[in-house]
Amino acid sequence: MLNLSINSKLPNVGTTIFTVMSVLAAEHKAINLGQGYPDFMMNTALIALVNEAMQTGNNQYVHMNGLPLLRERLAEKMESLYNANVNADTDITITPGGTYAIYTALTTVLQPGDEVIVFEPGYDSYIPNITINGAIPVLIPLTYPDYAIDWELVKTKITSKTKMIMLNTPHNPTGSVLSSFDIEQLRSIVKDTGIFILSDEVYEHLIFDNKQHESMLRYADLRQRSFVCFSFGKTYHCTGWKLGYCVAPAALMKEFRKVHQFNCFSCNSPVQVALATFIQHKELYLQLGKEVQHKRDYFQLLMQQTKFKALPSYGSYFQLYSYAGISDEKEKDIAIRITKEFGVATIPVSVFYNKEKDDKVLRFCFVKKESTLEEAVNRLMKF
Ligand code: PMP
Ligand code: GLN
């Protein structure tokens, strides 16, 4: 008898909520404010540059660490934005998306039994990517309703096995951002320890209300122990292109590349060629926060006509709304019902927790055309 059953490495994992809600939205012809992606056209000049790169023969493998010119321009960008001294040869690797960069950094560092501090709610790939490496997620809830880090609690969770702290700013799903106070707390906790930091900064430019993006790259003491992950998909409104990068000091990046080279080897060439040119338009990423803030403000204004109550969002693609005053239903149930009965898909925040937690909050993606937001709110007003 053949035994072809797999002893699952992720026995408790189902299909990601983003796919579940997007499929449900399509089935019910709902407006999809669930999965985080823009529904408007990206910059067509970038598309033209990719086309040109293909037409001029940039269709074979590029260097496994990423197109050298793109890495040089990224190093310049990080120097001008964060005053960071990043070596383009040794400290940057281009990856097929931010999620892959996160997975690769975790796989590079973690040994079975290592502990990783993870905050909840958090992006749904983190915990599976820790456990698949045999490491142990140590879950710390963010405070409700401002979704801040309770650093006193963090201190009590640090043990001799703590290998890494995972951070995400601006934060998915809550839109909270790290402050200078958070940075000071983090610095004092990791000082004189061998703890690494994985900082998910894919929303670096999507930050509002004149807040400063607290990148780990700004602080030499934090940078020396950090893998910082980014995504071009978020910066250039092309989430489907799946291109990102990781930045880490040379010795850490050397190990990262050992994992990367036999998993992906090298990423899409024409897109890298195009981005190496396009990234020079600094004004495009510098004004992105303001543009997206405008969408957040417009969405908030429209939503005032509904019974939902806004929680603050200072960054990312997302805005949380509480329905605590309207219904006792569980988040998952209400998200499914609103999709089916009212034609608007959202994401229940409970799915970003490992354990059962239900604050009666839904996540809405507002990076959409104004007409999409208007129609969605028209439908939600009936709720
Ligand atoms: N981290 C967070 C917090 C995200 O929301 C996303 C969005 N997809 C990613 C990482 C990954 O980005 P990418 O699509 O480039 O893999
Ligand atoms: N990051 C996106 C979100 O939070 C989705 C990415 C994905 O579908 N994996 O909606």
Side-chain angles (χ1 to χ4, degrees):
M1 268 287 270
L2 276 177
N3 179 5
L4 293 175
S5 68
I6 291 173
N7 186 7
S8 178
K9 291 195 170 175
L10 296 171
N12 303 318
V13 165
T15 303
T16 171
I17 188 72
F18 305 122
T19 299
V20 171
M21 291 310 291
S22 286
V23 168
L24 195 70
E27 249 172 55
H28 293 272
K29 300 199 170 29
I31 296 174
N32 193 350
L33 303 189
Q35 195 175 24
Y37 63 87
D39 72 340
F40 45 85
M41 189 57 171
M42 62 176 291
N43 194 314
T44 52
L46 178 53
I47 296 176
L49 284 170
V50 175
N51 188 25
E52 186 188 312
M54 286 179 166
Q55 297 289 358
T56 52
N58 295 284
N59 300 303
Q60 311 308 329
Y61 296 127
V62 291
H63 193 285
M64 65 168 239
N65 300 334
L67 184 78
L69 183 61
L70 177 58
R71 283 186 279 132
E72 274 166 38
R73 298 213 162 129
L74 284 170
E76 284 162 23
K77 175 180 172 184
M78 288 182 269
E79 157 122 62
S80 86
L81 285 181
Y82 306 124
N83 200 20
N85 181 9
V86 176
N87 182 308
D89 279 339
T90 58
D91 300 4
I92 308 175
T93 300
I94 308 293
T95 62
T99 311
Y100 171 104
I102 294 163
Y103 174 81
T104 305
L106 290 168
T107 302
T108 301
V109 170
L110 298 179
Q111 300 285 348
D114 285 344
E115 293 179 359
V116 183
I117 304 260
V118 202
F119 298 99
E120 290 191 306
Y123 185 47
D124 72 344
S125 80
Y126 299 162
I127 291 174
N129 286 348
I130 293 167
T131 51
I132 206 163
N133 281 295
I136 301 157
V138 176
L139 306 172
I140 301 188
L142 296 172
T143 58
Y144 180 80
D146 54 348
Y147 297 101
I149 295 176
D150 177 346
W151 291 104
E152 290 310 311
L153 186 55
V154 176
K155 284 178 198 162
T156 68
K157 299 281 184 179
I158 303 278
T159 72
S160 57
K161 292 193 181 148
T162 308
K163 193 43 117 12
M164 194 175 238
I165 299 179
M166 287 184 81
L167 297 164
N168 173 213
T169 185
H171 185 255
N172 179 7
T174 70
S176 65
V177 299
L178 291 185
S179 65
S180 55
F181 171 77
D182 294 308
I183 296 294
E184 283 320 309
Q185 296 291 310
L186 178 64
R187 290 173 111 166
S188 81
I189 286 176
V190 296
K191 192 169 177 275
D192 301 327
T193 73
I195 298 174
F196 293 97
I197 295 169
L198 193 154
S199 186
D200 178 349
E201 301 184 13
V202 300
Y203 298 105
E204 68 178 322
H205 299 299
L206 295 146
I207 187 158
F208 320 137
D209 304 326
N210 294 319
K211 300 238 180 236
Q212 165 169 295
H213 171 55
E214 290 290 5
S215 175
M216 296 304 121
L217 299 175
R218 287 182 190 277
Y219 306 95
D221 54 335
L222 297 177
R223 149 121 169 90
Q224 66 171 351
R225 57 177 78 237
S226 294
F227 292 84
V228 190
C229 302
F230 297 95
S231 171
F232 291 108
K234 309 289 164 181
T235 303
Y236 295 110
H237 296 320
C238 51
T239 60
W241 286 13
K242 293 298 295 189
L243 200 71
Y245 52 104
C246 182
V247 180
L252 308 190
M253 188 47 83
K254 192 172 164 209
E255 289 301 316
F256 179 102
R257 286 172 176 175
K258 289 184 189 171
V259 180
H260 165 72
Q261 71 177 338
F262 296 128
N263 193 12
C264 165
F265 180 63
S266 79
C267 301
N268 188 302
S269 322
V271 171
Q272 291 188 63
V273 172
L275 281 168
T277 300
F278 201 67
I279 199 174
Q280 292 176 292
H281 295 289
K282 291 186 181 175
E283 70 290 352
L284 294 180
Y285 56 77
L286 291 176
Q287 74 202 17
L288 189 58
K290 284 239 153 40
E291 280 168 21
V292 176
Q293 178 178 331
H294 181 74
K295 289 198 178 290
R296 177 204 63 176
D297 293 347
Y298 188 56
F299 184 55
Q300 284 188 355
L301 186 74
L302 293 170
M303 284 292 280
Q304 283 174 11
Q305 304 167 84
T306 72
K307 297 189 194 113
F308 292 92
K309 202 166 164 298
L311 275 64
S313 168
Y314 300 108
S316 80
Y317 277 175
F318 310 113
Q319 164 80 55
L320 300 187
Y321 275 92
S322 165
Y323 62 89
I326 319 171
S327 164
D328 286 336
E329 278 169 274
K330 289 196 165 202
E331 289 176 8
K332 267 191 205 160
D333 297 340
I334 208 164
I336 291 171
R337 188 162 77 81
I338 294 175
T339 309
K340 288 184 178 169
E341 291 178 17
F342 296 87
V344 180
T346 59
I347 302 285
V349 173
S350 53
V351 300
F352 297 98
Y353 289 91
N354 204 37
K355 290 216 184 75
E356 196 61 26
K357 180 100 164 58
D358 211 296
D359 290 318
K360 317 252 173 276
V361 209
L362 297 174
R363 189 193 81 174
F364 294 75
C365 173
F366 54 76
V367 184
K368 304 286 175 186
K369 292 185 276 216
E370 290 196 349
S371 56
T372 306
L373 297 177
E374 286 158 7
E375 178 54 26
V377 173
N378 268 338
R379 295 179 184 194
L380 291 169
M381 277 161 64
K382 301 185 188 111
F383 178 75

